[in-house]
Amino acid sequence: MSTLANQLVRAEKEEIARAIKTLLGRPLVSQHDDPAAFDLIRKRRQPLTQWFDYFCGWRLVVEPRQGYARLVKVRSEASATRPARRRRTTRAPFDRRRYTLLCLCAAELLTSPVTTIGMLAQRVVQAAAVEAEVPAFDPVRAEERAAFVDAVKLLEHYGAVSAMDGTTDSYLADEDAKVLYRVDTTRVIRLLAAPVPPSRAADVTALTAEARYGGDEPTETQRNLWARHSIIRRLLDEPVVYRDELTPAQSAYAASLTGRQIIRRAAEEAGFVLEERAEGFLLVDPDATATDAKFPDDGSHAKVAALLLLDLLVSAGPVTAARLDAEAAGLLRRFPQWARAYQSDGGGPRLAEDALDILTLFGLARRSGDRVAALPAAARYRVDRGTDLVED
């Protein structure tokens, strides 16, 4: 093969890897928001579609005319670690009420390509009224309008609706605010990543049932397919995967020659560095493109506290939750101008709780009862204090 041909093959592999990581970090890529990323995905759509289907069992939808690409990610196990977040300043996670309004808004937006915020609110009022288990929606109440605005702004973020006149935030202060929207009904439909349509699902668990794995009586081929997809999904979605968290079928697949080869191939083709240890697996993204959250990161006080408390967990072994609360309170006393949101009564326990949530999310610590222990991956952040050498 000529040098030019080698360069072309290498360039293609690098583009595919970059596109894979872009979609993992942002499962919905819009031409309007990131034309370069969308053009790359459109250009390499065939190998990308094949990669996600073979290694993950995920479907990639690329719509050149509508100008977006959607990676339909399905988790093998339910998880609450990545909630929808409010697009306003707080970035707080969605609560049950906001998820309910999000679903109602999405359903009502399918009826018309153009609407106003007042018309949409009234449709949601009517839809909630006919559903016995859905609380009534009252746009007169400020807290209800705030939840409604959070739902609409998330749909705006995904490009499902676009404000042509007015701003969604104006509805917070005025129930009669005038906002005109254009609705992308196709994109509204694409937002749902469920193998089973909600209208056909008997319960929430049935939404994620995937027929390709054979249900209660799978064949050997279907069991292997499930093991491959479920392991690689977890590797791509989670910071670290521990062997003791795998099912017997997953453990057997990961230990097999074929399984190890496929996992390594998936990591290589996506541009990750695979770290395999006795305790588990870790995919490292050198470019930090595929991740939606970083650690260490000084972007929040809780993450800074998490790193400091992690040093205690690694050096002192399992400690009580009360010990972490006391350590966090000590940090606040030592640095009275730092983390002002926690500089109040009960600030120490709140800071410790938020820091522990971060450590748990990143697979660095685990709480069991009243005790908290560092997990093997935490050794990556061990502080090397050095050794003083004294000459005679």
Side-chain angles (χ1 to χ4, degrees):
M1 186 180 291
S2 67
T3 302
L4 177 59
N6 281 328
Q7 291 175 345
L8 291 174
V9 170
R10 189 181 306 113
E12 180 180 0
K13 289 182 177 179
E14 290 174 352
E15 287 183 350
I16 292 172
R18 188 162 71 251
I20 289 171
K21 290 192 286 188
T22 297
L23 286 163
L24 290 171
R26 290 179 290 152
L28 181 61
V29 178
S30 171
Q31 184 178 29
H32 178 268
D33 298 330
D34 194 340
F38 176 76
D39 287 344
L40 177 60
I41 294 167
R42 178 186 52 79
K43 175 183 175 184
R44 302 297 183 186
R45 62 186 297 181
Q46 182 176 353
L48 289 172
T49 301
Q50 294 172 345
W51 191 92
F52 282 112
D53 179 67
Y54 179 78
F55 289 110
C56 313
W58 289 337
R59 184 163 55 95
L60 175 63
V61 178
V62 182
E63 296 285 359
R65 292 185 179 180
Q66 281 77 27
Y68 68 89
R70 171 71 163 123
L71 177 61
V72 185
K73 297 173 65 177
V74 180
R75 289 184 61 95
S76 300
E77 301 88 14
S79 173
T81 58
R82 291 171 179 81
R85 293 190 175 275
R86 307 173 200 182
R87 304 303 301 175
R88 292 186 288 156
T89 54
T90 61
R91 296 288 294 162
F94 267 37
D95 53 19
R96 185 182 183 90
R97 184 56 170 163
R98 283 166 172 79
Y99 278 121
T100 301
L101 292 176
L102 176 66
C103 293
L104 291 174
C105 285
E108 295 306 318
L109 286 171
L110 295 175
T111 62
S112 175
V114 177
T115 189
T116 66
I117 197 166
M119 292 174 59
L120 179 59
Q122 285 306 309
R123 286 183 177 275
V124 170
V125 169
Q126 295 167 7
V130 299
E131 296 289 342
E133 298 183 3
V134 175
F137 172 57
D138 183 6
V140 175
R141 298 168 54 196
E143 62 270 24
E144 286 279 81
R145 291 200 306 276
F148 178 78
V149 164
D150 286 332
V152 175
K153 285 180 72 69
L154 186 63
L155 290 167
E156 279 189 280
H157 171 68
Y158 289 137
V161 295
S162 303
M164 296 187 291
D165 186 26
T167 61
T168 303
D169 284 327
S170 64
Y171 193 70
L172 288 168
D174 184 5
E175 181 190 352
D176 297 320
K178 307 300 181 183
V179 188
L180 179 65
Y181 295 107
R182 179 187 292 112
V183 183
D184 186 337
T185 55
T186 303
R187 196 175 301 203
V188 173
I189 295 172
R190 294 294 188 199
L191 292 180
L192 183 64
V196 179
S199 59
R200 299 181 186 176
D203 52 39
V204 175
T205 304
L207 283 173
T208 57
E210 297 176 79
R212 69 164 71 190
Y213 302 130
D216 295 331
E217 298 182 359
T219 64
E220 184 66 23
T221 300
Q222 289 171 325
R223 281 194 291 268
N224 287 333
L225 184 66
W226 176 83
R228 180 210 307 166
H229 288 168
S230 61
I231 290 175
I232 296 179
R233 285 176 183 182
R234 291 190 62 178
L235 282 169
L236 295 174
D237 263 352
E238 299 178 14
V240 61
V241 176
Y242 292 107
R243 294 184 190 273
D244 63 1
E245 296 174 342
L246 299 177
T247 67
Q250 290 173 325
S251 296
Y253 183 85
S256 69
L257 179 60
T258 300
R260 296 179 68 180
Q261 289 176 339
I262 288 177
I263 291 172
R264 290 173 181 174
R265 188 177 132 207
E268 179 183 355
E269 293 182 8
F272 291 102
V273 177
L274 174 65
E275 292 190 8
E276 184 177 357
R277 300 286 187 268
E279 299 86 1
F281 306 88
L282 175 70
L283 286 182
V284 179
D285 178 10
D287 304 320
T289 303
T291 183
D292 58 348
K294 299 178 182 179
F295 184 84
D297 181 11
D298 59 0
S300 75
H301 297 125
K303 286 188 176 181
V304 174
L307 187 60
L308 296 172
L309 295 178
L310 186 61
D311 185 40
L312 170 67
L313 291 173
V314 172
S315 60
V319 301
T320 63
R323 173 78 182 277
L324 290 182
D325 292 347
E327 290 290 329
L331 288 173
L332 295 173
R333 286 193 300 270
R334 287 168 54 196
F335 305 102
Q337 302 304 314
W338 174 74
R340 298 202 174 190
Y342 297 96
Q343 295 284 355
S344 61
D345 291 342
R350 286 192 292 111
L351 180 59
E353 181 179 2
D354 290 347
L356 183 56
D357 286 343
I358 291 169
L359 295 177
T360 302
L361 174 65
F362 283 92
L364 301 173
R366 183 181 294 160
R367 181 168 184 166
S368 179
D370 189 46
R371 301 189 71 79
V372 181
L375 293 176
R380 297 169 61 90
Y381 305 98
R382 183 189 299 273
V383 176
D384 185 3
R385 294 178 173 79
T387 303
D388 292 334
L389 300 179
V390 180
E391 296 182 358
D392 293 336

